[in-house]
Amino acid sequence: MTSFRIRTVAQGVLLATLPFAAALAYADAANKPVSPAEAAYQAGGSPLAGEDMHQNINPKAPPMTKAEFARARQIYFERCAGCHGVLRKGATGKPLTPDITLGKGTDYLKIFIAYGSPAGMPNWQTSGEMSEQDVDLMARYIQQEPPTPPEFSLADIEKSRKVYLPVDKRPTRKMNNYNLDNLFSVTLRDSGEVALIDGDSKQIINIVKTGYAVHISRLSKSGRYLYVIGRDARLNLIDLWLPKPDNVAEVKVGLEARSVETSKYKGFEDKIAVAGTYWPPQFVIMDGDTLQPRKIVSTRGMTVDNEYHPEPRVASIVASHYRPEFVINAKETGKIMMVDYSDLTNLKTTTIDSAKFLHDGGFDSSGRYFLVAANASNKIAVVDTKTDKLAALVDVGKIPHPGRGANFVHPKYGPVWSTSHLGSDEVTLIGTDPAKHPQYAWKAVATFKGQGGGSLFIKTHPKSSNLWVDTPLNPDAKVSQSVAVYDIRQLDKPPQVIDIAACAGLDDDGAKRVVQPEYNKAGDEVWFSVWSAKNKQSAIVVVNDKTRQCKAVIKDKRLITPTGKFNVFNTQHDVY
């Protein structure tokens, strides 16, 4: 439940009839408006909707039958948990615990759910997303004690683990003729698969079964192993050396997850993997080649504001190039944990305070500094992985969402890292060279306008002079189906807008949202996903980076809702 503005006079009149205390609560909520793009991004379904949970009915709450409670719980985890949290303690959205909701009462809560608020609650009933009966159900449900999902222990993880091909049965050298450096791992979101596509021939090598809605693909240091993790916390290990690359092991690290990474420091190559979960709030350290779990570490604890939070979700993880450490980001607490994996028995962690609601990010061009979006705080946190200290907190636009960001050399400011935003049309450049350009380092040195809000990814390449910005969550179809491309040598000039969806030539009326520019290894092609619904045709469009003309279209009935794409070489070497 997060964002759409109230648009009618009738709704305003209705709110004016609320009790004074309720009106004050409403006014307070309006202090932090959230964009429609963020609502679309955050309110995705959670795999927890189908999990058994402990139910504790509050006797002060309105009565609910067991069937009503089960139905409301499903709606909550499908639509609301992404913003308000599993335990309703608040995340991007406000807390919805009984100590707050019981005082509001059912009638007020029904109005709030039905009509939304400028602060971020969608107008669930008037938009047609919920029936009047569902709204009544949810108003009563959020006055109950939140049901608690089960924990997930080391034994639970080990019990779920499957090894399809033991290490001693795997090849000792590459057994195929594919140019693995230019292989793409493409998320097929709604089919629970990834497509492995040969970047040279544009042919699908294999469709590999994975977890649902794979969030990211990551490469081992050697480039041999591909790790993909789904929202359902299923982690798959794919061996790219096989005659046809395929799964060799898998494990379920929790009930909901987003992140995975592998050890990159010299002497630890390919040896260790780590996965972070949304539920339970923890991260799991494993053997890199078998996924055997070795250590679980909880992220529950105090926020940077010194308040206890029971479910800090692990948002993103990267591996340091300077130390045997993982950089693990806890979303709700704003804590960045530098986890030393050199001794798993005596695990050492350096915790850095940054800003709340950490999300995604990437390294600067030197590989020393990690820049991560604290998106609800509208900041970028900069971590020096050589000294394990916070280098800066940089104020940027509304709800930064860089993906891994984009590095290039600006003619005036020198090396910069850039981010686009979910909640605004700005692109922000941050100086990243404290040695030669100290006057610009860790400052937002420039901003310029994109097509609009709703951007998820920004990308360039060391061999390119182009900067590509997508806007798949913009409500305007013309914007969501196209991309803006800038000449990084002349950023004062407006971008060229390219209708990628038109290039795809799809023959149906699907959404055709264009998402995530991804370069090939050579840096002369940019790949885009044209993402429609599960029952609609989708495609991948390849653009010539120099001419900015569509070069190829990959269509296949197996390409079901393609979203993220990860080039092996660029992902392996942090090229972005």
Side-chain angles (χ1 to χ4, degrees), residues 466 485-487 496 498 543-550:
N466 288 328
V485 54
Y486 300 81
D487 186 334
Q496 178 182 353
I498 300 176
V543 175
N544 182 312
D545 183 68
K546 184 175 181 179
T547 66
R548 302 180 178 178
Q549 299 295 311
C550 297

Side-chain angles (χ1 to χ4, degrees), residues 53-56 69 73 77 86-88 141 145-149:
M53 298 187 189
H54 173 68
Q55 180 179 347
N56 180 18
F69 190 92
R73 192 197 74 176
F77 281 103
V86 170
L87 301 179
R88 307 209 306 261
Y141 173 78
E145 294 293 334
T148 306

Side-chain angles (χ1 to χ4, degrees), residues 7 185 240 247 339 354 526 559 569:
R7 297 182 178 89
S185 174
L240 300 181
N247 282 319
V339 179
S354 62
V526 193
L559 291 179
F569 182 87

Side-chain angles (χ1 to χ4, degrees), residues 292-528:
Q292 183 174 352
R294 296 297 184 187
K295 196 92 170 180
I296 293 178
V297 180
S298 173
T299 56
R300 291 179 171 102
M302 307 303 287
T303 70
V304 291
D305 298 332
N306 294 313
E307 295 179 356
Y308 177 75
H309 202 290
E311 52 168 313
R313 298 174 286 183
V314 177
S316 57
I317 306 173
V318 297
S320 170
H321 301 279
Y322 281 84
R323 299 167 182 259
E325 287 181 336
F326 294 122
V327 185
I328 299 179
N329 301 279
K331 184 185 288 286
E332 281 74 18
T333 57
K335 303 276 187 175
I336 301 172
M337 292 161 283
M338 314 296 287
V339 179
D340 186 336
Y341 53 73
S342 63
D343 183 354
L344 299 185
T345 302
N346 303 290
L347 196 69
K348 296 178 181 178
T349 300
T350 299
T351 302
I352 299 170
D353 285 359
S354 62
K356 289 198 293 188
F357 304 108
L358 297 169
H359 194 61
D360 56 356
F363 287 103
D364 77 309
S365 57
S366 73
R368 173 174 173 174
Y369 297 95
F370 174 64
L371 297 94
V372 59
N375 51 23
S377 299
N378 302 328
K379 297 180 185 295
I380 298 293
V382 184
V383 175
D384 185 345
T385 62
K386 187 174 182 179
T387 64
D388 281 2
K389 293 182 179 179
L390 186 72
L393 282 175
V394 184
D395 291 322
V396 293
K398 186 173 175 55
I399 316 168
H401 193 288
R404 306 205 83 178
N407 289 297
F408 60 93
V409 178
H410 189 277
K412 176 179 178 181
Y413 305 116
V416 296
W417 179 92
S418 52
T419 182
S420 53
H421 300 78
L422 264 168
S424 78
D425 61 1
E426 295 176 326
V427 175
T428 301
L429 309 184
I430 297 173
T432 61
D433 185 9
K436 295 182 180 179
H437 298 82
Q439 69 274 37
Y440 303 127
W442 317 134
K443 297 177 182 177
V445 293
T447 61
F448 50 89
K449 298 293 185 181
Q451 284 202 88
S455 177
L456 291 179
F457 298 99
I458 185 169
K459 193 63 67 76
T460 188
H461 189 278
K463 296 180 180 178
S464 173
S465 60
N466 288 328
L467 179 67
W468 301 83
V469 184
D470 71 9
T471 41
L473 297 184
N474 192 285
D476 186 334
K478 290 183 179 179
V479 176
S480 67
Q481 294 178 6
S482 61
V483 296
V485 54
Y486 300 81
D487 186 334
I488 60 178
R489 299 163 300 185
Q490 303 178 75
L491 288 171
D492 56 328
K493 293 187 176 181
Q496 178 182 353
V497 175
I498 300 176
D499 190 341
I500 299 294
C503 292
L506 301 181
D507 56 7
D508 59 33
D509 59 352
K512 305 175 187 175
R513 289 171 290 188
V514 174
V515 64
Q516 204 219 17
E518 177 76 350
Y519 275 88
N520 64 346
K521 179 189 176 183
D524 57 11
E525 292 178 354
V526 193
W527 292 37
F528 296 90

